[in-house]
Amino acid sequence: MQFDTKIAVVIRTDLQAWQKLNVAAFLTSGIAAAFPDCIGEPYEDASGTKYHALIGQPILIYGGDGPALSRALDRALSRNVAAAVYTEDMFKTTHDAANREAVRAVARANLNLVGLAIRAERKVIDKIVDGLKFHS
């Protein structure tokens, strides 16, 4: 099955493993919140145990350095594609309101991005992530 849209997450490659996983989890929650229609149906196993619904399409994970993340964000915004962002300063906070304040305190050009997530038409995403490699 081919989807009309694509979800891409870009994670800075120099992070520790726990940080990469944390950033990916937070960023995909941003996509789910912004696009509730991307959530599939709840799951159920053969025993009748019910499980939460998940995002119903593949999520492509790319890696890059700080400048690559900034470039991807600029490309997204220039195409009117909103992004979920995670900055290095957010690792120092302990709650959601503090995360928003950490982002609000820094101009976009100076954000120390460690991750971003976007969802848009396939061809648009391809242009935004052009030159990035899948995260390894």
Side-chain angles (χ1 to χ4, degrees):
M1 173 178 205
Q2 186 163 2
F3 296 90
D4 294 335
T5 60
K6 220 182 233 191
I7 298 171
V9 175
V10 186
I11 307 286
R12 208 172 72 196
T13 53
D14 65 342
L15 301 178
Q16 295 178 41
W18 74 266
Q19 291 173 313
K20 291 177 186 179
L21 295 170
N22 183 267
V23 169
F26 273 104
L27 291 173
T28 54
S29 72
I31 295 297
F35 300 98
D37 60 313
C38 77
I39 305 298
E41 296 297 320
Y43 288 74
E44 183 176 334
D45 64 26
S47 302
T49 305
K50 297 187 185 315
Y51 303 97
H52 292 305
L54 303 174
I55 291 176
Q57 70 182 97
I59 300 170
L60 304 170
I61 311 289
Y62 297 88
D65 59 12
L69 270 72
S70 294
R71 186 172 48 254
L73 178 59
D74 289 343
R75 288 176 178 173
L77 296 174
S78 73
R79 290 168 172 81
N80 295 316
V81 175
V85 297
Y86 201 102
T87 67
E88 192 165 306
D89 292 337
M90 292 167 67
F91 288 127
K92 301 171 192 159
T93 65
T94 58
H95 55 88
D96 189 46
N99 285 343
R100 285 193 303 282
E101 286 300 317
V103 173
R104 186 178 292 123
V106 180
R108 180 169 45 110
N110 297 321
L111 288 174
N112 190 358
L113 294 171
V114 296
L116 64 102
I118 48 177
R119 180 179 186 245
E121 293 178 14
R122 299 176 60 78
K123 290 181 181 181
V124 173
I125 294 294
D126 290 344
K127 290 178 181 178
I128 294 168
V129 299
D130 186 46
L132 294 176
K133 304 284 186 217
F134 287 120
H135 204 295
S136 56

